[in-house]
Every structure is written in structure tokens, then in C-alpha cells.
Amino acid sequence: AVLSGQSLEERLDLALLLGAEAYDILDSRQSRSTMLAALEAYPGLTGILHAPQGLLPLEVAFSPDGSRLAAAGRDATVFWDLDTGRLAGEPWQQAATHGDMNVFRTLDYSPEGTTLATGGCGEFDAEDTCLHGEITLWDADTAQIHNRLQGHAYTVRGLAYDATGRRLASCGDETVLIWNVEDVAQASIERTLAGHTTPVAAVAFSPDGALLA
């Protein structure tokens, strides 16, 4: 962290790398302050968004119109108004059967912006082990829950809509599931892709929707 501070004026790129490495080694007030100072000095920075105390954002997603940024943070999803840089509304929270770990782990907006899909764990045992993954389909404006989808054995770690918004891919265990979500209330598994020997952490559709990585 000290080296990062000394490098700030001369080598901003080095200061950013050293600050990130210091934070990775030890999450302390000094390492956070050093990394933040390097970020604030970066000429391409347009702003810093502050999360509520105790929230650790695990994944973020822009709304399709670019007006909001959503962040999944274990036991809550929060939103920022990007015109003001301030938090928008109350955090969305969803109680798990037991524990509060990774209820919100990943998220993605539908292309038209009317639905927000979040993924994580749907139920925990007494030791906070995830018993099965769960996807929640929310009304992006009202936070009303349209549907809860279960199909993964572990925490859902990746979600991706295709360009049409009719299909949603999810992952978390050794399978990738493709859901038909054209009618969110009647969403169902359209296809199961198997073959991985370790849990899949991310999914993405090609722009034309023909390929899924």
C-alpha cells in the first residue's frame, strides 16, 4: 500500500496494480484508502458509487436504458441512479430458508428492461451449505416476484438473457440450463447442457443468440 502511494504521481498504472494487490493481500483501511486514491486519480474515472454498509457487490448489471446499475450482494440487491450517483429505492431482499449467504449471487436484466433475473441459493442447511440453487424473476419496476425457478444443485453463479429476451441461460453446477422465459409466470427448462466436470461459473449468449458460451 505504501509503494502504491509513492507511485501515484509518477506511474498511475503501477499505483493501481499495487493498490489492488495490497487490497487482495490484506483488506485493511490503509489498503482500501490507497486503492481509492489511485482510482480517484485515474483520468477516465467518471464517478464512484458507494454501496450500503455491509454490502459486498458480487456482480453488477446496467439496465438496458442505462439509467440504473444493479448490484447483487449476497443477501440484497441494490440499485444506483446513474444520473445522480445515489442509491435508488430500498434494497431488494429475499429471505432464504436458513442463513443469508449468496441468496443474491448473480443478476441480469431482460433486453427490454422489464424483468430482472437474480440467482443464488434457495435453501441452506444448518451449516449454511446450499441445498439447491434458485433463480428469481422480478418486475424491474415494482420488485414484484413473478416466478422462482429451481433446477441447479448448487448456488446459481451465472445468468444471461439472449437478445430476444425469450431465453435465459443459467449455471452453477456442472450443467447449463436454458429456460424458456417468454411467459415469466410459466417459465420452464427448455434444454439442459451437460458435459462439464466442474461447476460452471459464467454463461454468455452471442449477439445473434445462435451460440452460448
Side-chain angles (χ1 to χ4, degrees), residues 1 3 7 32 38 44 72 76 83-84 93 97 115 117 133 142 149 156 160 167 171 173 177 200 203 206:
L3 286 174
S7 305
R32 289 186 183 187
D83 289 331
T84 65
Q93 294 180 310
T97 302
T115 302
T142 67
L149 312 177
V156 177
R167 293 183 298 168
C171 64
D173 51 23
L177 301 180
V200 183
V203 285
S206 61

Side-chain angles (χ1 to χ4, degrees), residues 50-101:
H50 297 278
Q53 186 174 2
L55 182 84
L56 175 64
L58 299 173
E59 189 168 306
V60 297
F62 285 100
S63 62
D65 65 3
S67 66
R68 286 191 174 194
L69 180 71
R74 299 187 72 174
D75 61 345
T77 293
V78 298
F79 303 85
W80 288 273
D81 183 317
L82 295 181
D83 289 331
T84 65
R86 297 180 179 178
L87 289 167
E90 296 296 321
W92 292 6
Q93 294 180 310
Q94 179 179 330
T97 302
H98 183 80
D100 62 355
M101 296 176 60

Side-chain angles (χ1 to χ4, degrees), residues 50-202:
H50 297 278
Q53 186 174 2
L55 182 84
L56 175 64
L58 299 173
E59 189 168 306
V60 297
F62 285 100
S63 62
D65 65 3
S67 66
R68 286 191 174 194
L69 180 71
R74 299 187 72 174
D75 61 345
T77 293
V78 298
F79 303 85
W80 288 273
D81 183 317
L82 295 181
D83 289 331
T84 65
R86 297 180 179 178
L87 289 167
E90 296 296 321
W92 292 6
Q93 294 180 310
Q94 179 179 330
T97 302
H98 183 80
D100 62 355
M101 296 176 60
N102 289 331
V103 178
F104 294 101
R105 178 62 182 79
T106 181
L107 74 174
D108 195 29
Y109 276 98
S110 61
E112 73 282 1
T114 58
T115 302
L116 179 68
T118 63
C121 185
E123 185 178 3
F124 300 90
D125 64 14
E127 284 74 40
D128 281 338
T129 300
C130 183
L131 298 177
H132 63 80
E134 186 169 88
I135 301 165
T136 305
L137 302 179
W138 307 74
D139 184 299
D141 294 322
T142 67
Q144 177 184 353
I145 295 176
H146 291 307
N147 206 341
R148 289 188 174 97
L149 312 177
Q150 296 180 6
H152 289 286
Y154 314 136
T155 297
V156 177
R157 297 184 177 276
L159 292 170
Y161 277 96
D162 73 355
T164 68
R166 294 194 294 266
R167 293 183 298 168
L168 175 69
S170 64
C171 64
D173 51 23
E174 291 83 0
T175 63
V176 172
L177 301 180
I178 300 177
W179 304 81
N180 183 329
V181 292
E182 188 168 8
D183 181 350
V184 292
Q186 302 295 326
S188 60
I189 297 174
E190 183 177 280
R191 190 173 180 185
T192 299
L193 305 178
H196 290 276
T197 57
T198 57
V200 183

Side-chain angles (χ1 to χ4, degrees), residues 8 12 16 34-43 45 48:
L8 184 57
L12 180 58
L16 286 167
T34 301
M35 186 168 65
L36 186 60
L39 287 170
E40 289 177 331
Y42 184 66
L45 182 72
I48 295 176

